Amino acid sequence: MYRSHKNNALSLDHLNENVVLSGWVQKIRDKGFIIWVDLRDRYGITQLVFDAERTPKSIMDQARELGREFVIKVEGEVIERESKNENIPTGDIEVLVKNLIVLNSSETPPFTIEDDTDGGEDLRMKYRYLDIRRKPVQNKLIFRSKVAMAVRNFLSNQDFVEVETPYLIKSTPEGARDFVVPSRMNAGQFYALPQSPQTFKQLLMVGGLDKYFQIVKCFRDEDLRADRQPEFTQIDCEMTFVDQEDILNTFEGLTKYLLKEINGVEVDEFPRMTYDDAMKTYGNDKPDIRFGMKFGELNEMAQHKDFKIFNEAELVVGIAVPGAASYSRKEIDKLIEWVKRPQIGAKGMVYVKYNEDGSFKSSVDKFYDAEDLKAWAERTNAKPGDLICVLSGSTSETRAQLSALRMELGKRLGLRKPNEFAPLWVVDFPLLEWDEDTQRYHAMHHPFTSPKVGQIPLLATDPGSVKANAYDLVLNGNEIGGGSIRIHDKKTQAMMFDYLGFSEEEAQAQFGFLMNAFKYGAPPHGGIAFGLDRLVAILGGQESIRDFIAFPKNNAGRDVMIDAPAPIDDAQLKELELQLRS
């Protein structure tokens, strides 16, 4: 027997009991005649004591040879501690060791395995198996498991069936780049790893399964950001005989259940906002509505004077920053420098101080009088004491820049509270978006998304105006889920492929299996996919997903622990009939 108790379990109720414990050596304090050792496992820490007067000499000698992260088993008696530790559950007791077995020795780890470690991120990723021993990382992985279990419980109780779909599939040209896998048995041909199980879940609906879900790995060979991984996990769902309202109601239910079950938070309101309104009001399609600072468009009241920058702009737009009229010129200059960084790309920023006494002071007083600035304040909902920040330029770029500034100011002002949750549905996305590089339309979501009811004829006359029967679920400024009602008839799907630039032969070659399935009575269906990594991070009060993934990749898409990706040898290349390295 390796243990009779876990290392968080012992208390004064166990006094004088003989126990068996196992774990890792966390700390050693050697006073010569007495040695204290903190023994750690996933559950907690127990203090061990080796006392020269009460512990056999051979065991004392063994204890002096221990090092950090040695794996040991001890037998001993639970006694009361003289100096109690209120910070741990076992702080009232210690175990007087009578026998010690070293199960495995350890080299000195490259960083301290404690809550506050001295290891940098790169070092900890290289030794991720050691990093996982730290309580903060363990807690995040346990939290992720708890969320996944709650998802399964909810969906199973809603009559969803969990089905696994293939990982080795066919490459398709839509969306991000595929990871491809050469086939040894089919020389010169390749599988692709799925970016999502989209077509398979639609085929399951054709198969009459009615409700499907899967917690599934997906893969995208795309440029990486701090909050994006080449492999990620989705909660993938599909339903038959549903419309948009059915989907939204079902997955509002899931989100409410998770917030209640995981965070103890009751959320009743799931407001809905069109894509167009989200872009106009917040500058992006995943707005954080925990705080205000809504956009105020100022073209009509800012382009009638001699200020050339505004007069030549496609859009002039501002936000009111609460309480920031007290900012010094130095603080405002730092904000201007922030928006001029390459990551944001603004050329500058106009500001207006709406002073507590009702007066105005701006960086454009030469061009605009108090009445003009008062109109700006009304349009941006500014109050006395606020600072109005104004950007201008092309519509899309300016909205993105002001949105970034809004989020940064919300963070600085403490308005983005991690324990506050504000969900939002964004609906009525464009079905198609024009790509200047390829000079053709691309599907904004994917080519299986249905147009809004009654808008199919517009595909022939004004495709850019067609709205998608699609929806995104946003939580605290992050898209946590997105989906659509699907096209379920062959004729409409063929028309969609045509507008996306597929020839009939290309569509048949890429998606013939789906088109053929639609010949045999495909039901109306729709679904949604949640990003589990991001959802878990937000529920856990974090914005970065990396620590909620057991073995994440770095920003270059590398696993520095196992050193992957890596070359393969010439024999493997030859077997796969791939070109040998020179």
Side-chain angles (χ1 to χ4, degrees), residues 336-352:
I336 295 171
E337 289 304 311
W338 190 90
V339 299
K340 290 170 70 174
R341 296 181 311 147
Q343 301 95 312
I344 308 302
K347 293 180 180 178
M349 184 185 84
V350 168
Y351 70 87
V352 180

Side-chain angles (χ1 to χ4, degrees), residues 154-155 158 246-260 267 270 425 473 530:
F154 178 88
L155 293 175
Q158 294 290 317
D246 297 317
I247 301 281
L248 269 54
N249 288 335
T250 298
F251 292 97
E252 278 185 21
L254 172 61
T255 308
K256 288 178 182 179
Y257 177 79
L258 291 176
L259 287 168
K260 176 66 174 176
V267 175
F270 281 68
W425 286 108
L473 181 56
F530 285 72

Side-chain angles (χ1 to χ4, degrees), residues 170-185:
K170 189 176 188 177
S171 183
T172 59
E174 284 295 312
R177 294 183 184 90
D178 290 325
F179 283 100
V180 295
V181 181
S183 171
R184 180 184 59 81
M185 293 182 290

Side-chain angles (χ1 to χ4, degrees), residues 157-371:
N157 288 334
Q158 294 290 317
D159 211 23
F160 282 79
V161 179
E162 186 168 13
V163 180
E164 295 179 17
T165 53
Y167 279 155
L168 296 176
I169 65 168
K170 189 176 188 177
S171 183
T172 59
E174 284 295 312
R177 294 183 184 90
D178 290 325
F179 283 100
V180 295
V181 181
S183 171
R184 180 184 59 81
M185 293 182 290
N186 300 276
Q189 296 185 317
F190 297 82
Y191 297 106
L193 300 179
Q195 297 183 33
S196 83
Q198 181 62 44
T199 54
F200 287 100
K201 67 179 180 178
Q202 290 189 250
L203 291 171
L204 289 170
M205 298 302 98
V206 175
L209 205 60
D210 197 64
K211 290 182 177 181
Y212 140 93
F213 87 98
Q214 183 180 189
I215 298 180
V216 59
K217 279 282 188 186
C218 301
F219 308 85
R220 291 179 186 170
D221 188 8
E222 57 186 359
D223 295 337
L224 300 175
R225 298 195 297 259
D227 205 34
R228 178 182 287 170
Q229 291 277 305
E231 53 180 315
F232 56 97
T233 306
Q234 283 188 178
I235 307 165
D236 200 56
C237 307
E238 198 80 2
M239 306 166 70
T240 54
F241 303 112
V242 290
D243 58 20
Q244 178 174 297
E245 199 65 27
D246 297 317
I247 301 281
L248 269 54
N249 288 335
T250 298
F251 292 97
E252 278 185 21
L254 172 61
T255 308
K256 288 178 182 179
Y257 177 79
L258 291 176
L259 287 168
K260 176 66 174 176
E261 191 76 8
I262 304 298
N263 298 87
V265 173
E266 299 268 9
V267 175
D268 294 322
E269 289 191 17
F270 281 68
R272 300 181 187 183
M273 183 181 299
T274 66
Y275 170 86
D276 290 341
D277 284 346
M279 296 302 293
K280 185 174 181 178
T281 308
Y282 295 99
N284 68 70
D285 59 2
K286 47 182 186 296
D288 188 339
I289 59 171
R290 285 175 294 180
F291 62 101
M293 285 195 258
K294 294 181 179 181
F295 288 13
E297 295 192 356
L298 304 173
N299 290 46
E300 64 189 71
M301 52 197 66
Q303 291 183 324
H304 64 291
K305 295 296 179 74
D306 295 328
F307 190 49
K308 185 178 179 183
I309 292 173
F310 282 179
N311 290 342
E312 294 179 351
E314 185 181 5
L315 176 68
V316 182
V317 62
I319 55 172
V321 186
S326 60
Y327 279 16
S328 66
R329 180 59 191 268
K330 185 177 180 180
E331 287 175 307
I332 293 173
D333 285 345
K334 284 183 178 179
L335 275 186
I336 295 171
E337 289 304 311
W338 190 90
V339 299
K340 290 170 70 174
R341 296 181 311 147
Q343 301 95 312
I344 308 302
K347 293 180 180 178
M349 184 185 84
V350 168
Y351 70 87
V352 180
K353 287 187 173 186
Y354 189 0
N355 298 313
E356 293 284 0
D357 63 4
S359 64
F360 294 94
K361 176 64 180 172
S362 82
S363 56
V364 286
D365 282 345
K366 180 179 177 181
F367 301 96
Y368 299 95
D369 59 27
E371 286 302 310

Side-chain angles (χ1 to χ4, degrees), residues 114-185:
E114 297 177 359
D115 289 3
D116 296 318
T117 182
D118 56 0
E121 186 174 34
D122 291 342
L123 183 63
R124 289 186 291 109
M125 286 189 71
K126 183 176 181 180
Y127 296 94
R128 182 63 167 174
Y129 45 85
L130 297 180
D131 198 30
I132 289 173
R133 292 182 189 174
R134 296 194 307 117
K135 202 66 177 174
V137 180
Q138 285 190 353
N139 286 344
K140 287 181 172 67
L141 297 180
I142 293 166
F143 183 82
R144 180 190 178 103
S145 174
K146 183 179 178 182
V147 173
M149 187 63 69
V151 168
R152 282 194 165 94
N153 289 341
F154 178 88
L155 293 175
S156 295
N157 288 334
Q158 294 290 317
D159 211 23
F160 282 79
V161 179
E162 186 168 13
V163 180
E164 295 179 17
T165 53
Y167 279 155
L168 296 176
I169 65 168
K170 189 176 188 177
S171 183
T172 59
E174 284 295 312
R177 294 183 184 90
D178 290 325
F179 283 100
V180 295
V181 181
S183 171
R184 180 184 59 81
M185 293 182 290

